[in-house]
Amino acid sequence: MGFVFRHLLLFFLPIALAIGLHLATAPLRRELHRQSGVFLRDLFSDDPDLVRTTLENVGQGGISLSEGLDWGLRAAVVIAFTGFSLLIPKSASSQSAVNFLTTLCVGFGFAKLNGGFAELDWADLGLCLITGLCLAIVGLNRRLTSLAKPVS
């Protein structure tokens, strides 16, 4: 693949991922909004027993749908960043690899600016990108140094 095409691909893949995840999680987000509406309706009810029951049930239960959606999106960003970094050619110099990783980070930032990953705030997205970047650097280091080993 050409140099420019690879940069464009690494820029637009996170945007496509954000659109795909937004469409794929639409039923979960719809259910989350429905549950939130029921919770608020019960919380502001005129029936004191219903309000008390609602407040008692707040702290109980396992992972909520909202937490599950957040963790799923975090995992998707880390895995996608690491996976997309495999598109960096093995023959790339270290400076070129840094440029490709920077393009990938900018692509994720642009996806966030355009409304993708709306459930993640900037701090969460940044932490996921840092984690993915560390994993990508380890993977790239292993791939790039394996080429430099002399053949015996």
Side-chain angles (χ1 to χ4, degrees):
M1 281 191 269
F3 177 77
V4 174
F5 178 72
R6 200 174 295 260
H7 273 284
L8 287 174
L9 185 66
L10 288 175
F11 179 78
F12 285 112
L13 275 176
I15 296 169
L17 174 72
I19 293 169
L21 285 175
H22 184 75
L23 294 175
T25 60
L28 292 174
R29 287 182 287 110
R30 197 173 307 120
E31 177 63 21
L32 181 62
H33 288 294
R34 188 196 65 74
Q35 288 178 1
S36 299
V38 169
F39 172 74
L40 289 174
R41 185 192 67 217
D42 292 347
L43 189 62
F44 292 110
S45 173
D46 292 334
D47 183 14
D49 292 333
L50 184 60
V51 173
R52 186 176 341 99
T53 305
T54 302
L55 290 174
E56 288 172 355
N57 290 335
V58 168
Q60 297 175 1
I63 294 178
S64 69
L65 182 60
S66 175
E67 290 173 344
L69 187 62
D70 285 347
W71 281 106
L73 287 174
R74 289 179 187 126
V77 169
V78 171
I79 292 169
F81 191 95
T82 307
F84 293 160
S85 70
L86 295 176
L87 295 174
I88 298 172
K90 289 182 179 182
S91 60
S93 67
S94 59
Q95 183 60 41
S96 181
V98 168
N99 289 342
F100 282 123
L101 290 175
T102 302
T103 302
L104 194 54
C105 287
V106 170
F108 273 99
F110 195 76
K112 175 67 176 160
L113 281 175
N114 286 322
F117 311 115
E119 291 79 16
L120 296 177
D121 58 6
W122 282 100
D124 283 340
L125 182 66
L127 289 173
C128 292
L129 289 180
I130 289 170
T131 304
L133 182 63
C134 291
L135 291 172
I137 288 172
V138 168
L140 282 173
N141 189 26
R142 292 182 58 99
R143 285 176 57 207
L144 296 178
T145 56
S146 68
L147 293 174
K149 291 180 183 174
V151 177
S152 343

